[in-house]
Amino acid sequence: MQDPTPHLDERFSDPAAQATPWATVRKALETAQLFWITTVRADGRPHVTPLVAVWLDDALHFGTGPEEQKAVNLSHNPQVVLTTGCNDWTQGLDVMVEGEARRVTDRPTLERLAAVWATKWTGQWQYQVADTGFVHNGGEALVLAVKPTKILAFTKGTFTQTRYAP
C-alpha cells in the first residue's frame, strides 16, 4: 500500500490537533507485542481475544488453531477488527485495523512470516512452515492476513482521531 493520507476527524480531536503521521502508526503496528482481535460468532455475538500478530507486506498476520473460537467465527464471517495500544488515558497511541481475514498458504510468504515472528519476540514464537500454514508445539496453526480497509489511530494526551483508508 502506498502511504495512506491521514484524515483528522476534528469532531473527536482537540482544537488545533494535528493528524497522526502514517509513519507513527505503521511503527506502532510493526512493534506492538499484543493485539486484540474481534470476530463475530455465527449467532451475531462478538468474540474478543488477545493474540500476537505481525505487520508484513501492508497487512496484519496472525495465527490460530483450526478449532479455536476465532477460527470457527472466521469460517462464517471473515470480517475482523484488530486493536493495539495502551490503556493509559494521558499518553500513548491506540490503533484499530478493520478488514477481512484471508488464509495464507503461500510457502515463501509463510517462511518470511515465520522469520518475522521468530525475531520479534526474541525467539518465543518459533513456527515450522507446513503446506497449509504453521506447526507450533505439534499442532496446526492457520495463518491469516488482514489487509486493512480502514485504520483509525487515537492519540492520547493531545487527543486526536486520525483515519487512514487505503
Side-chain angles (χ1 to χ4, degrees), residues 126-139:
Q126 295 290 326
Y127 291 114
Q128 285 74 45
V129 176
D131 289 336
T132 59
F134 289 157
V135 175
H136 181 66
N137 293 336

Side-chain angles (χ1 to χ4, degrees), residues 7-57:
H7 299 280
L8 181 71
D9 191 330
E10 294 177 4
R11 299 172 301 166
F12 306 112
S13 301
D14 285 345
Q18 299 290 318
T20 305
W22 172 245
T24 302
V25 174
R26 187 182 62 240
K27 182 177 180 182
L29 294 170
E30 291 170 345
T31 60
Q33 292 189 353
L34 183 68
F35 289 82
W36 291 86
I37 186 169
T38 303
T39 58
V40 180
R41 299 173 193 265
D43 65 4
R45 292 179 299 134
H47 175 259
V48 180
T49 189
L51 54 69
V52 294
V54 297
W55 179 261
L56 183 69
D57 298 335

Side-chain angles (χ1 to χ4, degrees), residues 104-143:
V104 177
T105 57
D106 172 64
R107 193 170 189 96
T109 302
L110 290 169
E111 289 172 359
R112 290 176 52 230
L113 286 166
V116 172
W117 253 291
T119 60
K120 186 170 179 182
W121 291 274
T122 63
Q124 292 172 310
W125 294 92
Q126 295 290 326
Y127 291 114
Q128 285 74 45
V129 176
D131 289 336
T132 59
F134 289 157
V135 175
H136 181 66
N137 293 336
E140 177 185 8
L142 308 176
V143 179

Side-chain angles (χ1 to χ4, degrees), residues 41-103:
R41 299 173 193 265
D43 65 4
R45 292 179 299 134
H47 175 259
V48 180
T49 189
L51 54 69
V52 294
V54 297
W55 179 261
L56 183 69
D57 298 335
D58 299 323
L60 272 175
H61 297 80
F62 66 94
T64 184
E67 295 178 9
E68 290 184 44
Q69 186 64 53
K70 61 185 163 291
V72 172
N73 296 347
L74 291 170
S75 71
H76 299 285
N77 182 345
Q79 299 299 317
V80 300
V81 178
L82 289 129
T83 308
T84 192
C86 154
N87 64 355
D88 189 318
W89 179 252
T90 61
Q91 62 184 352
L93 176 68
D94 298 330
V95 181
M96 181 210 72
V97 175
E98 290 183 13
E100 186 173 300
R102 295 188 180 259
R103 185 100 180 263

